[in-house]
Amino acid sequence: MGGSMMRIYRDIRFSRDKSPYKTSMAAHFWHSKGRDGGTPTYYLHLEPHNSSIGAGVWRPEPGALKNIRDAIVADPKC
């Protein structure tokens, strides 16, 4: 499907609540242009009363990071 579903198990190592499963669902989807560090990723989090969506670039390569920074400097209103 072009995305990645997050695991259903909770990390209970440092939690008082030892219930094993998450009550939320999350997934991320790569942009159609590719899956490298220079393409946007979309994030979807579904949870009762706390759902969210987001987008961004995670750990871009130096060349892609320079392009992003140059675009922000060129048009900071975007």
Side-chain angles (χ1 to χ4, degrees), residues 39-76:
T39 57
T41 299
Y42 306 99
Y43 175 78
L44 174 66
H45 178 92
L46 299 174
E47 182 176 8
H49 309 291
N50 193 26
S51 295
S52 62
I53 58 172
V57 179
W58 176 252
R59 298 175 62 181
E61 299 293 326
L65 181 59
K66 182 180 181 326
N67 290 341
I68 292 167
R69 289 177 173 165
D70 290 345
I72 293 169
V73 168
D75 190 2

Side-chain angles (χ1 to χ4, degrees), residues 9-37:
Y9 303 105
R10 295 177 60 242
D11 183 356
I12 59 172
R13 294 176 293 173
F14 307 107
S15 175
R16 288 180 183 234
D17 178 5
K18 299 298 183 186
S19 56
Y21 299 108
K22 293 181 180 180
T23 58
S24 63
M25 182 181 82
H28 68 271
F29 305 90
W30 292 277
H31 190 276
S32 62
K33 298 282 184 181
R35 294 185 178 193
D36 65 3

